[in-house]
Amino acid sequence: MVTAFVMIKANTGEADRLRDSVESIEGVQSAHIVAGDVDIIAKAQVETPAAVKEIAATQIQGISGIEDTQTYIAMD
């Protein structure tokens, strides 16, 4: 099992809608609106690193209103 955290920058004022969209993606366990350099942090648990790429680079970045993402794969 691969655990990844996706840091998401969102358009101003759209964080609630975007969080709900991110949480509806298969493999995403949770998404939280946060204060700081990013607007949302999502946690995904999937079978392979390729599945992480599919979630972060294709599905999340494909949502209208997402400006940027950074993905971190947990090492433990």
Side-chain angles (χ1 to χ4, degrees):
M1 189 65 69
V2 178
T3 300
F5 297 91
V6 183
M7 310 300 145
I8 303 166
K9 288 192 178 188
N11 287 342
T12 303
E14 293 194 76
D16 288 324
R17 176 187 67 82
L18 295 171
R19 181 198 58 216
D20 293 343
S21 295
V22 169
E23 277 189 324
S24 71
I25 295 171
E26 185 176 343
V28 173
Q29 284 194 319
S30 62
H32 304 274
I33 296 171
V34 298
D37 293 337
V38 298
D39 301 299
I40 301 168
I41 298 176
K43 179 181 179 184
Q45 280 202 308
V46 292
E47 292 298 320
T48 66
V52 172
K53 180 182 175 190
E54 170 64 22
I55 287 172
T58 303
Q59 294 186 47
I60 292 176
Q61 287 185 7
I63 298 170
S64 177
I66 300 290
E67 293 180 3
D68 192 25
T69 63
Q70 290 184 343
T71 303
Y72 299 90
I73 293 178
M75 302 301 288
D76 62 353

